């Protein structure tokens, strides 16, 4: 299984957990709830809505 990498497009209320423009590895994905489980900058794993991320390779200004 290959790991899925996404890029943060918006940190929303998660200032301590996400950095805009940074790549993150997806630990798990919930299609029904449209969420990714990601280990954030604060070293904690949690669920984030998919709309906070774009596919790897897309440049975030």
């Amino acid at each position: 299984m290959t790991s899925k990498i996404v890029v943060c497009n918006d940190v929303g209320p998660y200032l301590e957990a996400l950095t805009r423009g940074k790549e993150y590895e997806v630990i798990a994905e919930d299609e029904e709830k449209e969420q990714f489980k990601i280990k954030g900058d604060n070293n904690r794993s949690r669920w984030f809505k998919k709309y906070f991320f774009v596919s790897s390779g897309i440049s975030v200004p």
Side-chain angles (χ1 to χ4, degrees):
M1 180 180 147
T2 60
S3 60
K4 183 174 185 174
I5 304 295
V6 293
V7 178
C8 178
N9 187 42
D10 183 11
V11 297
Y14 306 106
L15 296 174
E16 289 88 33
L18 298 175
T19 301
R20 190 166 190 256
K22 185 175 176 180
E23 291 185 336
Y24 295 93
E25 182 178 359
V26 175
I27 299 168
E29 187 172 352
D30 186 330
E31 291 290 336
E32 187 175 304
K33 293 182 180 178
E34 297 184 355
Q35 295 179 334
F36 291 132
K37 188 170 191 177
I38 291 176
K39 188 173 189 178
D41 299 340
N42 57 1
N43 220 23
R44 297 176 68 188
S45 297
R46 65 159 299 156
W47 291 97
F48 297 97
K49 289 291 188 181
K50 287 184 176 182
Y51 58 78
F52 288 117
F53 303 94
V54 293
S55 298
S56 179
I58 295 177
S59 178
V60 176

